[in-house]
Amino acid sequence: MTMTRASRGTTRRWFFSLTAAILLAFVLSLSQALQLEFDTSVSVQDGPANFKEGKRLFGARDYDKAAMHFWRAVIMQEQNKQAYTVEEVFSSFMQCFAVQERVSDGFVYIAQESIGRGQYPMGKMYLEQALTLDPTHEHGLLLKEQLEAMGMNLKGSEDDEDDEDEDNEDDYEDDDDLGISGTPEELYEVASDYFQKRDYQLCADYFEVSCQNSGQRLGPSCANAVYCRNMIVDWGFNGTQFEEDMKRIERISKLEASQYRHESADGSFTWTRAMSTHPHMMLGYPIDTVLKRYVAESAAFVEDISQRIVGRGEIKPLPADLPFNPEEDRARFVAEAAEDGAKIRIGFVASGFNSKAVLYLSHDMFRFFDTSKFEVHVFSLGPPDSPLFIQHGMRGVDWRERVKANVDFFHDVQEYKSNHVGLARLIHGKNIHILLEWDGYARQGERAQGLFTLRPAPVQIWHQEYLGTSGAQFVDYLFTDKVTSPPHLQHLYVEKLIYLPNHFFSKGHAVQKEVRVPTIDYPEKTHPYQPGSGSPQTNRCLAPEGNGPATPSVVYCNYNKFLKNNPETVRSWIRILREVPNSMLCLLENPTDGVAYYRKFIHEAAGTSNGNADEASFVHGDGDELNSRIHFLPWQKNPFDHQMRNQDFCNVMLDSYPYNGHTTAQDSLYGGVPIVTRSDGNDMSSRVSTSANTVLGLEELNSPEGPRQYEDTAIELGNNPGKLDSIRTKLIGTATQRNPMHPYWDVPRYVKNVQEGLTTAWNQYLSGEPPKHIDVVETEEAQKGTYDDVLLSNPSEGKAKKNKESASDEL
């Protein structure tokens, strides 16, 4: 069948935002995008002005910046034929490299830009020249490798491209067998629509065919196919497809970073376009953390540009007064800070001020801010939950209303969701001092994309939702702690880090009356099962009778999305189950379409084959028996019922790597379920549970030596009931501790430490000095911990003495 172009959804996620429109208008978008790299007073479309600026910078011996301005002029020469010739500006461009004895760098740059615009013969010609001059040129060899992977031999003729489809047939099943045809761009659009519908199988198929039909040149399709496969655990025979997929992601990432990233001697950097992979995708991939930083950097680069694309590739110019300049407001804010009763105005912006995980964890923070020192604003881009869902799905609990009752000003800014310029003006007009974002790179199409690039506040911070560097030079700080982000790994972050004591993660379990308090004794089992009843041994993950052990010795769990796991992790689980007789593993159907693939992989991983990859030589192992001990729970929408599942179904939580459980981990710990986690990673997202165990005094559950230690720790807990009971009792003791609360669960104490970090960051700005890493040291008052009187005097529903405007949901 022939595919027709699907209509674009207005809320399409950025996972697939490098659309055909941007690709088709690459030359324009490239030249427009470069305005973020240099002096914005020089218009990116003004060829003569860029030629002139290049000459000035060349005279000042700033050759790299001069080269980029000359390259702009090269791109814009067609519109400026009377002003200069392409030969003279091209000669100036190459001279920038010649004077530095880096001519090969210049040729490689031209090659990669030509290939990026589809001018393959020209790109191959300049790449050949570069490698003739320097056969060991690192970036040139990477580019050569990518071309050859696409079936384009460097020294061959243009006819080499005719063999691409044949060369790629081995990489994926025949398009005709799938009944899929159409241009790569058309298939990309169809695949994106399937992603929106959460049909991950078709999403993966259409993206893959789009990738192959483009000769593997449509990077977003190639990367998105991998992501969709991982959503449903489609790892190929015994994980061999996953291995190839990770090689693909690494190859794409290295090549694109070498092509589009330009770093100066002082460590600052610029990008000429975005990479093909989205930052949120990268969190779950076991690849070099530096590449994950690069993907985030490139995503930050297009934050603003992507919001200004209109039509087919035209980029609207920014208003002349944007982005705002924090330097212009400093004197006024310094004078204001010296006044009696001055407060720091902080703003939280997010699309998830409703029944989202971030609000489940963090809405209680607003109860405990010191209102004598802080004025708290919320800017909510998302809609409230429907009344019916609040009534039935949440049993009357409305986190959004609780936030409104506890902040000074709640601004419903849904109308600005697609207007980052208008939202920036609004926030700047409110004189917000510090702006915190709670979406990160999640919720594409809903979050305030591009907002932070316009600098609406002098100090801008990311907090909690996306656990990794923003990659953005317009984000000043990131909240973390020294276990999650060890100081020796600061090079993996673009921002300066605010190190909090006692774990950087906010979690309100111990101060929410709806969350079940864990108990040492298990209640009686009910028939049928009701949340809050039975034990892991009696509930058996709701497995049918006769399927799995009648009374399991221990029930291991993992309630994360499937995409957080990988073949290495699941192989660890197989060894754990084998080494602990009569044990079970309880997982969550997330998504349901992945369950069959999960069972298929377990069956294959339990058997043997030549090199673990030869399907024809496969010999069955104990896969059927293992699968009888592995069961899946359906998704539970109510967060309180889902949290109760931890105590009801789980003895030990087996963490994911390198993308830990985050909200699910806090649910587990508060349910008295210990977490066994790997601690050998560098990713922020891979060290959250390691930090949690450290604060909770359960370091013995961390595995700094990697997967074998992770397995051994879990096996020991399964075979040593006395040790498991001791750890569980200790963990429940932290959750139930009162007067004072345990530091890990103490929300008021957490807020005191956050306030210290915010105050230090604000004073740093007022001093005129650039941001620096902040190590929050607890005050004596904070160290005393929280007593019941503080909780009672700051109820969830808020106090009566609220500002009239703060009770309004309108601007």
Side-chain angles (χ1 to χ4, degrees):
M1 62 179 177
T2 301
M3 293 292 103
T4 58
R5 184 174 301 276
S7 61
R8 301 173 187 267
T10 58
T11 61
R12 172 147 302 153
R13 304 187 180 202
W14 194 93
F15 293 120
F16 316 112
S17 68
L18 196 61
T19 59
I22 300 178
L23 293 170
L24 291 171
F26 179 81
V27 175
L28 177 59
S29 64
L30 171 65
S31 59
Q32 293 277 9
L34 285 169
Q35 73 178 25
L36 293 181
E37 297 185 22
F38 308 118
D39 183 0
T40 55
S41 64
V42 180
S43 169
V44 294
Q45 297 191 48
D46 191 335
N50 276 288
F51 194 11
K52 180 179 179 181
E53 179 66 5
K55 291 178 179 178
R56 184 190 70 78
L57 290 167
F58 189 93
R61 300 185 179 181
D62 195 344
Y63 300 121
D64 286 344
K65 287 186 178 180
M68 297 309 297
H69 281 284
F70 286 140
W71 189 254
R72 286 183 181 175
V74 170
I75 292 173
M76 300 309 300
Q77 193 273 337
E78 186 69 22
Q79 287 81 27
N80 297 276
K81 291 181 178 180
Q82 304 303 316
Y84 56 88
T85 67
V86 71
E87 289 81 8
E88 62 180 317
V89 71
F90 182 83
S91 175
S92 298
F93 170 80
M94 285 305 304
Q95 195 173 356
C96 293
F97 295 94
V99 296
Q100 302 179 77
E101 298 183 347
R102 293 170 48 208
V103 172
S104 58
D105 285 356
F107 285 153
V108 169
Y109 185 87
I110 298 168
Q112 67 191 27
E113 294 303 312
S114 300
I115 291 168
R117 295 194 300 276
Q119 298 171 333
Y120 300 107
M122 179 183 292
K124 290 167 65 178
M125 179 186 72
Y126 278 105
L127 184 55
E128 288 172 1
Q129 293 185 42
L131 293 177
T132 299
L133 288 173
D134 181 4
T136 65
H137 195 287
E138 180 181 359
H139 292 166
L141 290 173
L142 278 171
L143 191 57
K144 177 176 179 286
E145 178 184 336
Q146 179 68 8
L147 286 173
E148 290 175 347
M150 296 189 300
M152 299 169 64
N153 295 322
L154 200 58
K155 290 293 184 181
S157 67
E158 293 181 33
D159 293 335
D160 291 338
E161 298 182 37
D162 295 338
D163 297 326
E164 286 173 21
D165 289 339
E166 182 179 343
D167 292 340
N168 287 328
E169 283 178 0
D170 292 337
D171 296 333
Y172 201 71
E173 58 187 298
D174 189 3
D175 301 354
D176 292 335
D177 292 341
L178 291 171
I180 298 174
S181 62
T183 69
E185 292 78 15
E186 288 173 338
L187 296 173
Y188 175 96
E189 295 296 330
V190 175
S192 298
D193 285 340
Y194 278 122
F195 183 88
Q196 294 298 318
K197 297 171 184 175
R198 300 187 180 184
D199 189 332
Y200 300 118
Q201 183 64 74
L202 285 176
C203 160
D205 289 344
Y206 276 86
F207 274 129
E208 185 62 40
V209 177
S210 171
C211 169
Q212 298 301 336
N213 285 359
S214 73
Q216 298 189 25
R217 290 190 291 269
L218 191 55
S221 285
C222 299
N224 295 341
V226 172
Y227 185 72
C228 290
R229 280 195 285 272
N230 276 285
M231 288 289 290
I232 54 174
V233 203
D234 185 1
W235 295 336
F237 175 73
N238 202 8
T240 50
Q241 180 64 55
F242 181 87
E243 294 170 7
E244 291 304 311
D245 282 346
M246 291 304 100
K247 291 177 184 176
R248 173 190 286 184
I249 294 296
E250 191 162 329
R251 183 176 66 247
I252 290 173
S253 300
K254 285 182 177 179
L255 177 66
E256 292 181 342
S258 72
Q259 290 177 332
Y260 310 131
R261 187 180 191 271
H262 310 283
E263 185 168 339
S264 302
D266 63 358
S268 61
F269 57 86
T270 55
W271 287 80
T272 52
R273 55 158 277 191
M275 295 172 72
S276 296
T277 308
H278 185 270
H280 219 98
M281 296 180 187
M282 295 289 280
L283 292 180
Y285 296 158
I287 61 176
D288 187 352
T289 310
V290 171
L291 294 178
K292 298 182 181 185
R293 168 181 161 154
Y294 288 165
V295 169
E297 286 180 8
S298 75
F301 164 75
V302 299
E303 273 282 287
D304 166 60
I305 296 170
S306 62
Q307 296 301 98
R308 293 190 284 116
I309 295 175
V310 295
R312 291 184 60 80
E314 179 187 352
I315 300 175
K316 279 196 314 186
L318 270 177
D321 61 329
L322 294 176
F324 294 110
N325 183 358
E327 302 299 317
E328 295 176 356
D329 294 320
R330 180 178 284 113
R332 174 167 61 87
F333 286 141
V334 168
E336 182 185 282
E339 297 174 359
D340 290 339
K343 298 182 181 181
I344 300 176
R345 287 185 291 276
I346 59 175
F348 291 82
V349 61
S351 63
F353 282 99
N354 43 34
S355 59
K356 295 291 192 296
V358 67
L359 215 58
Y360 170 40
L361 294 173
S362 302
H363 74 271
D364 292 285
M365 285 179 59
F366 298 111
R367 295 162 57 183
F368 303 109
F369 273 100
D370 186 343
T371 55
S372 70
K373 297 178 180 178
F374 292 87
E375 180 180 290
V376 182
H377 293 245
V378 161
F379 299 90
S380 175
L381 286 153
D385 292 300
S386 73
L388 284 176
F389 176 74
I390 292 297
Q391 180 182 352
H392 300 289
M394 295 289 290
R395 293 197 285 273
V397 177
D398 192 333
W399 296 328
R400 181 187 182 99
E401 289 302 313
R402 288 183 178 179
V403 171
K404 290 168 68 174
N406 282 290
V407 299
D408 295 296
F409 300 94
F410 188 103
H411 309 286
D412 186 337
V413 292
Q414 294 180 68
E415 63 187 279
Y416 290 100
K417 185 167 67 173
S418 300
N419 180 7
H420 68 310
V421 170
L423 183 57
R425 292 196 190 285
L426 172 70
I427 293 172
H428 188 262
K430 300 286 183 184
N431 287 312
I432 299 299
H433 298 148
I434 302 175
L435 189 62
L436 299 97
E437 216 223 24
W438 270 2
D439 285 327
Y441 287 118
R443 306 189 188 96
Q444 297 303 140
E446 300 176 17
R447 70 182 186 89
Q449 188 162 335
L451 173 65
F452 272 40
T453 67
L454 304 183
R455 273 286 175 185
V459 179
Q460 301 189 153
I461 300 176
W462 273 25
H463 177 229
Q464 188 128 328
E465 177 66 13
Y466 175 79
L467 300 190
T469 181
S470 67
Q473 295 170 107
F474 47 77
V475 175
D476 302 303
Y477 297 99
L478 177 72
F479 275 108
T480 186
D481 61 61
K482 287 188 174 180
V483 177
T484 303
S485 305
H488 72 275
L489 297 178
Q490 288 175 353
H491 65 282
L492 298 176
Y493 301 85
V494 174
E495 313 85 347
K496 298 304 179 184
L497 304 180
I498 301 178
Y499 295 110
L500 292 178
N502 309 326
H503 205 241
F504 77 100
F505 224 63
S506 168
K507 74 286 288 183
H509 293 67
V511 297
Q512 293 181 35
K513 58 178 179 272
E514 298 83 13
V515 178
R516 175 189 178 188
V517 178
T519 58
I520 299 295
D521 296 326
Y522 292 103
E524 290 294 321
K525 178 183 178 181
T526 60
H527 299 278
Y529 164 77
Q530 294 294 323
S533 69
S535 70
Q537 278 61 40
T538 59
N539 289 323
R540 300 177 61 255
C541 196
L542 302 184
E545 281 190 35
N547 201 341
T551 304
S553 59
V554 63
V555 180
Y556 297 102
C557 295
N558 182 289
Y559 292 155
N560 295 328
K561 294 178 181 178
F562 291 165
L563 64 87
K564 288 193 174 188
N565 298 316
N566 56 57
E568 181 183 47
T569 298
V570 179
R571 288 190 179 103
S572 288
W573 297 349
I574 288 174
R575 178 179 172 237
I576 293 166
L577 289 175
R578 283 172 170 165
E579 296 289 328
V580 182
N582 293 320
S583 58
M584 291 182 67
L585 176 62
C586 189
L587 304 174
L588 188 67
E589 293 179 350
N590 196 2
T592 304
D593 292 349
V595 172
Y597 282 106
Y598 238 125
R599 295 201 180 281
K600 173 180 178 292
F601 173 78
I602 289 163
H603 182 76
E604 293 164 353
T608 57
S609 61
N610 294 338
N612 283 333
D614 185 357
E615 196 165 358
S617 66
F618 176 70
V619 177
H620 294 276
D622 59 347
D624 291 341
E625 193 271 338
L626 288 169
N627 268 316
S628 74
R629 294 158 59 193
I630 299 172
H631 296 277
F632 296 83
L633 294 172
W635 177 254
Q636 170 58 255
K637 289 185 177 181
N638 183 280
F640 312 119
D641 288 349
H642 178 69
Q643 191 277 330
M644 281 190 273
R645 285 174 158 184
N646 288 274
Q647 181 162 331
D648 296 350
F649 293 111
C650 193
N651 296 123
V652 178
M653 186 67 68
L654 300 177
D655 207 1
S656 303
Y657 179 90
Y659 193 174
N660 288 173
H662 296 155
T663 304
T664 56
Q666 311 318 308
D667 280 348
S668 172
L669 293 170
Y670 196 72
V673 179
I675 297 177
V676 177
T677 191
R678 285 178 58 175
S679 308
D680 54 320
N682 292 338
D683 301 42
M684 183 181 186
S685 61
S686 75
R687 302 184 60 83
V688 176
S689 297
T690 295
S691 178
N693 283 340
T694 301
V695 178
L696 292 164
L698 298 174
E699 295 95 330
E700 63 194 296
L701 302 180
N702 295 336
S703 303
E705 297 175 15
R708 188 72 180 190
Q709 186 182 19
Y710 168 83
E711 297 162 14
D712 290 344
T713 302
I715 290 167
E716 183 182 8
L717 290 181
N719 288 329
N720 189 339
K723 182 172 183 177
L724 177 55
D725 286 345
S726 175
I727 289 174
R728 178 173 180 265
T729 299
K730 181 177 182 179
L731 183 55
I732 289 176
T734 69
T736 58
Q737 180 179 320
R738 289 291 184 272
N739 298 316
M741 299 176 70
H742 190 279
Y744 189 79
W745 303 108
D746 190 337
V747 181
R749 182 171 178 171
Y750 176 84
V751 173
K752 286 185 174 75
N753 292 327
V754 167
Q755 289 178 159
E756 285 295 312
L758 296 175
T759 300
T760 303
W762 181 239
N763 289 337
Q764 183 72 6
Y765 163 74
L766 294 179
S767 74
E769 295 296 320
K772 64 179 182 180
H773 298 298
I774 296 171
D775 190 357
V776 174
V777 178
E778 283 194 297
T779 64
E780 289 186 14
E781 181 64 25
Q783 289 179 28
K784 293 177 183 177
T786 298
Y787 290 73
D788 286 346
D789 61 313
V790 174
L791 303 181
L792 292 171
S793 61
N794 294 274
S796 298
E797 295 74 17
K799 305 172 191 175
K801 54 174 187 177
K802 301 307 293 180
N803 184 307
K804 290 294 183 183
E805 184 179 350
S806 72
S808 172
D809 200 28
E810 305 298 330
L811 290 178

